[in-house]
Amino acid sequence: MKNHHGQVEAWIGVDVGTTGVRAIAYSIDGEKLASSEAFYPLLTPHTDWAEENPLEIYESVEKVIRETAATLRYRNGIATGIALSTVMHSFAPLDEHRRPMTNMITWADSRSADIVREMKQDAALAKRFYEKTGCPVHTCYPLAKILWLRKHLPERFAQMHYVGSLKDYLFEKLTGVFAIDHSAASTSGLYNEADMDWDAEILSYAGITRDMLPPIVSGTHAESLTAEAAEATGLPAGLPVVIGATDGVLVNVGIGAVEPGQLSATIGTSGALRMLTNRPMTDPKGRTWCYNLVDDIWVAGGAINNGGMILRWVRDRICHYTKAHLENLDVDGYDLMTMKAAHVPAGAGGLIMLPCFTGERSPYWNSELRGMILGLTLNHSRSHIIRAAMEGICYSMNAVMKALEGFGDVKDIRVSGSFTKSTLWLQILSDVLGRELTLPENSEGAAFGAAVLGFLSTGRLSSIRETAGLVKAKRRYTPIPENEAVYQQLFAIFEKLYWTNQETFAAITSFQQEHPVTKL
C-alpha cells in the first residue's frame, strides 16, 4: 500500500540470529522490498562455552537497518517501523547502568552441565519447573546460566544488578526502554506460563529478585526510536520500534504455518520443529518445550542444538574449504559439498553421524552428549561423511517429530532456514520424516514474522492467522519410497546409539572437561 506521497509503506523486520543478523523490509502484502545482512562470530574460548559480543551484535543491527532503509528509499519506499526477532535463551549479567558485565552467553553454551545434573537428581523439582515454564531443565536456558554464575563466579553474581538478554539489550539500545516481550521471557526458564509472569519460586531458587528483571510486555508493544539510534540507522527519531518475539516461534508466522496441524521445520545453525497451539502444552515425557508467540498463541515444539553448524564444521575441518581456495574456484563451499554428497546413495554406505557436538536439546535434553561417526570403513570418503552429516541432522529432527506426533495430527510441514538452499538436503529430510514438505516462496520466516507483528501493532492486520493467505508454495518435496525404507532402518540404529551409550557419553564429557580440547 502506498501513502499520499506515492511511497510504498513497509515494516523492517530485524532477525537477530546466532551468527548473523538480517533486516528485511516488507509491504503489507508480504512483498520483500529491500534487505541487508551482516555476520559476527560465535566465541568458544573454552570447551562447552559459546558466547557473543553484544556490542558487536548491536553495531551489526544498526548496519543492516541503515542499509535496508537506504535501499528502501531508493526504491521509493518508506519505513513505517522496525520490529525485532531475536535468538532465544541468551543471558548476560548487567551492571547498575545495565551494561553487560560479560559477553552474552548463548543457547549453545553448556558450561552449566554440572548444575543441570544436580537439578535433575531432584526429579520432582525438575518436573515441577518444566510444567510451570514449558522449559525442560537444561543448560540452554538462562536459569541454568544464572545458577552457574552464582556457583562459579560468586563475586560477579553479587555485582549483578540486572538480568539481561539479547532482546532487552537491543530494545533498550534502540528505544531507551528496558523491557522484554512475553515470547523471549517464556524461553528463559524463569517464566510461569499459566500466570504469564516471572515465577516467584524459580526466582528465589536462582537467587534473584523481580526488580532485577525487565518488565514483560506484549510482542506488539512499541516504543520510539531514540535520536541517537535514529542517527545511526538513518531513520527518523520517534519511529515505532516493536519489541517483537523470538526467532523460533516467529518462523511459523513468517512461512504461514499458523493453523492447527501445520508444522514448521527449520534448519539453520540449529534446527527445530514447531506447532501452534491455543494454550501452553507440555509433554508427559518432558521431550518438548512450549513458548509464547504473542498474547494467547503458543508454540509447542522441539529444537536440536546441532544443525548447520555441523555442516560448517565438516566444511572447515574435514573438507578444508578455505575462503581463498573457494574464491579461486568461484564456487560456494556448501554447493560443492552438496554436489559431492549427491553422488552418494541414501544411507551414506551405512555411515551414521550422531551430530551432537554441543550436547542436545529435544528430545533427549542431555548436555553430556557428544558427536559420533559409526560405521567407517576404508571405502568411505569425505563425500560419505558430508552426506552422513546431512542425514544425521535429519535423524535428530525425526526424533523430535516422534515426540510431537502426540500433540495432534500433522497436516502440513513448511520449511525454512539456510538448509532450504539445498534441494538435496530438503529431499533427505522428506525421506527421513516420511512426509511431504512445502517450501514457501518466502523462507525468511523470522524477519517476516517480526514485520507481521509490526503490522498488527498498527491495526493493519487483525490476526496472525491472516498470514496464511500471504505465503505461497514454491515447491513441494515428497518422500522417495526406497530412500524412506533405508532411513527407517538407519534411524532405528541412530536412536539405539543414544540409548545404549549414555554412560559412555558422560565419561568422555568428563574427560574433556578435565583435558580441554586444543583448538588447532
Side-chain angles (χ1 to χ4, degrees):
M1 184 176 291
K2 295 183 179 181
N3 62 16
H4 60 276
H5 296 297
Q7 297 169 306
V8 179
E9 296 182 348
W11 273 81
I12 297 177
V14 183
D15 177 20
V16 186
T18 305
T19 55
V21 56
R22 181 185 294 111
I24 306 176
Y26 289 99
S27 65
I28 185 68
D29 59 2
E31 182 185 358
K32 178 178 173 180
L33 302 173
S35 67
S36 175
E37 61 183 357
F39 300 93
Y40 34 81
L42 184 66
L43 309 172
T44 54
H46 309 287
T47 301
D48 296 333
W49 289 37
E51 303 178 339
E52 292 167 330
N53 182 329
L55 183 58
E56 191 173 6
I57 294 175
Y58 178 66
E59 288 173 346
S60 296
V61 168
E62 285 184 336
K63 175 179 180 288
V64 295
I65 294 174
R66 184 172 62 247
E67 291 176 353
T68 300
T71 303
L72 188 61
R73 284 191 294 272
Y74 174 75
R75 294 177 178 170
N76 198 33
I78 184 170
T80 53
I82 300 166
L84 301 178
S85 162
T86 53
V87 68
M88 298 175 175
H89 318 312
S90 55
F91 162 69
L94 308 178
D95 66 16
E96 65 272 24
H97 304 293
R98 288 201 286 271
R99 294 176 304 208
M101 299 163 62
T102 67
N103 279 331
M104 194 69 67
I105 304 173
T106 75
W107 58 268
D109 190 288
S110 59
R111 73 184 75 172
S112 57
D114 59 328
I115 302 280
V116 169
R117 193 182 312 113
E118 190 176 314
M119 290 179 72
K120 284 185 172 180
Q121 287 174 0
D122 186 341
L125 177 139
K127 185 173 186 288
R128 186 168 71 255
F129 280 17
Y130 169 59
E131 290 174 348
K132 280 186 171 196
T133 66
C135 302
V137 172
H138 188 263
T139 59
C140 74
Y141 292 106
L143 170 60
K145 297 169 173 52
I146 294 167
L147 292 168
W148 181 91
L149 188 74
R150 187 173 75 173
K151 179 178 179 179
H152 295 282
L153 295 175
E155 290 182 5
R156 183 151 289 174
F157 180 83
Q159 294 165 353
M160 178 174 67
H161 279 68
Y162 296 96
V163 175
S165 75
L166 190 57
K167 173 58 75 64
D168 47 74
Y169 172 76
L170 294 176
F171 191 67
E172 186 168 23
K173 292 286 281 185
L174 290 168
T175 69
V177 176
F178 186 52
I180 192 169
D181 58 272
H182 283 283
S183 179
S186 73
T187 72
S188 65
L190 305 168
Y191 174 96
N192 186 302
E193 294 192 329
D195 299 338
M196 295 187 74
D197 198 0
W198 302 119
D199 186 273
E201 180 195 1
I202 297 175
L203 297 192
S204 176
Y205 183 87
I208 58 177
T209 55
R210 175 182 290 271
D211 58 3
M212 299 171 72
L213 290 154
I216 307 171
V217 297
S218 168
T220 55
H221 178 83
E223 296 286 349
S224 299
L225 190 68
T226 65
E228 184 180 355
E231 185 178 352
T233 58
L235 290 168
L239 195 76
V241 180
V242 166
I243 195 165
T246 55
D247 57 354
V249 298
L250 281 173
V251 163
N252 279 60
V253 180
I255 62 176
V258 292
E259 298 293 342
Q262 286 188 314
L263 268 71
S264 70
T266 305
I267 301 177
T269 303
S270 56
L273 283 159
R274 309 175 183 90
M275 177 190 296
L276 260 64
T277 65
N278 294 322
R279 59 184 175 84
M281 295 183 72
T282 53
D283 173 44
K285 295 181 181 178
R287 295 171 296 176
T288 59
W289 43 250
C290 187
Y291 308 138
N292 186 247
L293 169 53
V294 64
D295 303 326
D296 61 348
I297 300 177
W298 300 80
V299 178
I304 63 171
N305 269 9
N306 307 274
M309 67 161 67
I310 304 304
L311 215 58
R312 178 184 294 181
W313 177 84
V314 173
R315 181 194 68 182
D316 297 344
R317 301 299 179 92
I318 301 296
C319 297
H320 302 290
Y321 290 157
T322 65
K323 187 175 181 181
H325 178 214
L326 294 173
E327 282 177 351
N328 290 335
L329 295 175
D330 195 25
V331 66
D332 177 80
Y334 293 113
D335 289 344
L336 188 56
M337 290 165 67
T338 296
M339 183 178 69
K340 291 172 77 68
H343 292 295
V344 177
L351 203 62
I352 298 176
M353 177 183 284
L354 191 69
C356 304
F357 289 27
T358 64
E360 191 52 287
R361 285 183 280 173
S362 296
Y364 309 121
W365 299 101
N366 187 343
S367 300
E368 295 178 332
L369 267 178
R370 287 296 179 265
M372 177 186 288
I373 300 177
L374 177 74
L376 280 167
T377 72
L378 293 175
N379 291 331
H380 286 108
S381 66
R382 280 186 295 193
S383 297
H384 290 89
I385 294 174
I386 296 167
R387 180 152 191 141
M390 298 170 88
E391 292 175 345
I393 295 162
C394 292
Y395 294 149
S396 291
M397 294 285 280
N398 196 32
V400 176
M401 173 62 81
K402 300 297 183 190
L404 279 178
E405 285 172 345
F407 282 55
D409 293 335
V410 177
K411 299 173 183 174
D412 177 30
I413 302 176
R414 300 192 178 196
V415 292
S416 70
S418 54
F419 93 118
T420 58
K421 297 173 184 176
S422 168
T423 56
L424 174 65
W425 208 352
L426 285 163
Q427 186 61 56
I428 290 172
L429 183 61
S430 176
D431 294 340
V432 170
L433 297 181
R435 296 178 182 270
E436 182 179 87
L437 306 179
T438 300
L439 174 64
E441 285 183 352
N442 168 36
S443 61
E444 311 279 3
F448 181 50
V452 166
L453 294 187
F455 289 119
L456 280 170
S457 73
T458 56
R460 297 291 298 280
L461 289 175
S462 59
S463 167
I464 276 176
R465 291 194 162 90
E466 288 184 50
T467 61
L470 299 178
V471 182
K472 310 299 181 186
K474 182 177 180 180
R475 183 174 172 183
R476 301 187 195 279
Y477 292 81
T478 55
I480 299 169
E482 54 267 34
N483 292 357
E484 186 181 349
V486 167
Y487 289 135
Q488 284 180 353
Q489 188 176 354
L490 293 178
F491 177 70
I493 300 172
F494 175 90
E495 282 208 302
K496 195 173 181 180
L497 278 178
Y498 170 70
W499 292 111
T500 59
N501 286 285
Q502 291 186 68
E503 288 185 11
T504 304
F505 287 127
I508 202 66
T509 300
S510 176
F511 178 87
Q512 289 176 344
Q513 288 169 345
E514 294 171 12
H515 305 85
V517 181
T518 304
K519 216 171 183 181
L520 300 175

